[in-house]
Amino acid sequence: MADDRRGVVGYALLPKKQQSFIQDSLLSLCKSKGVDLVKIDQDRLLTDQGPFDCVLHKLYGEHWRKQLEEFQIQNPNSTIIDSPASIERLHNRISMLQVVSELKIESETDTFGIPKQIVIYDKETLFDRQSWEFLKYPVIAKPLIADGSAKSHKMALVFNHEGLNKLKPPIVLQEFVNHGGVIFKVYVVGEFVKCVKRKSLPDVSEEKLKSLEGSLSFSQVSNLTSDERNGDKYYKLMDLEDTELPPQSFITDIARGLRRGLKLNLFNFDVIRDARIGNRYLVIDINYFPGYAKMPGYETALTDFFCDLVGKSWSEEKEKDGIDKRQLVCNCDVEVRKIVSNTCCSDGEEQEKSPILQV
């Protein structure tokens, strides 16, 4: 290498996120490709640190937002991953899915959309069944705010009117769609897209619904008796190896459409296949900067992404000084932009959001 300069990615993460994401395997691979990951000191001003070709973060608050703005002004060639304004859209469970409805993707065989849902702001509307008569039981009740806090993960499956008593608006009521007990989680890292499958809520038949009362919080799943578990015929459908993944090109088109619409580089989204219509898929949730460490091969995907960002930063500098610094970056193998399929266990950070519910 003719020059000693290396790419530098500064990261600002909460301790739990840092522990799960900044693994030795990621640090080592990045280093071998000429990119150093450097921890940002959150007790110092961001503008006093660096230089950084890219700032990777998952922090919130007005103070941090202003620091990013000031850093960007002083370092116009650096890239912020991602924009706080774009991230904020995912903190509301209604606005996060609006972009799905705006996508225009052509497919001869498959369709997509979002489940029927409504925002309930007060108890009066909640108990006024006519206000949301287009939804049929069971429904999933989710907090309107999805900011990653413990409170935002408190969800429940409501079986009848009695189950509404424990709900506290503002909430989102979303139709529960039978989907064969399998959820597809699609990870996006820039242009890279990877789809994995995992167990989800089992189907609830009309017959079964008649015997269920009230509601069941997702955190109560483990309290069900072993007899209930063993007697659930739907668990026979939960052999993930027998579950067919969605068409690769179709999911990739949705992922890239969401990336453009959301203006985000790091996110994942949950997709289910409507059991009533085998070729219809529903996007039910979108998460910013998910638990990538549980994604097989996450080190390679993230390293290639960082290399691309560093190359972009140096390319912009080249326009000013005429030196092609991209040639000094790592020999990053260009990731084949395709979906890699395999099963995956649940992400630790999202454990409560997609449990295995036994009813």
Side-chain angles (χ1 to χ4, degrees), residues 255-298:
R256 290 176 176 172
L258 289 177
R259 183 190 177 205
R260 289 190 298 269
L262 295 169
K263 298 180 180 178
L264 293 172
N265 289 283
L266 300 178
F267 64 95
N268 69 5
F269 58 99
D270 296 336
V271 180
I272 59 174
R273 180 188 288 123
D274 192 335
R276 300 166 299 185
I277 310 172
N279 64 342
R280 179 164 177 77
Y281 297 88
L282 300 173
V283 178
I284 61 173
D285 202 10
I286 307 175
N287 306 283
Y288 177 66
F289 204 154
Y292 283 112
K294 291 295 183 179
M295 179 185 79
Y298 98 103

Side-chain angles (χ1 to χ4, degrees), residues 127-139:
F127 289 102
D128 180 8
R129 191 64 181 89
Q130 290 185 339
S131 297
W132 46 282
E133 61 181 354
F134 63 93
L135 290 177
K136 295 182 179 180
Y137 290 112
V139 295

Side-chain angles (χ1 to χ4, degrees), residues 216-232:
L216 184 65
S217 68
F218 286 11
S219 60
Q220 291 176 319
V221 175
S222 60
N223 294 333
L224 295 178
T225 67
S226 59
D227 289 339
E228 287 176 299
R229 294 194 191 104
N230 295 333
D232 193 339

Side-chain angles (χ1 to χ4, degrees), residues 86-104:
S86 297
I87 298 171
E88 190 172 341
R89 182 172 184 174
L90 298 188
H91 289 173
N92 181 296
R93 284 198 163 90
I94 294 297
S95 63
M96 77 161 59
L97 294 183
Q98 285 177 343
V99 66
V100 180
S101 302
E102 298 166 1
L103 296 181
K104 298 185 183 301

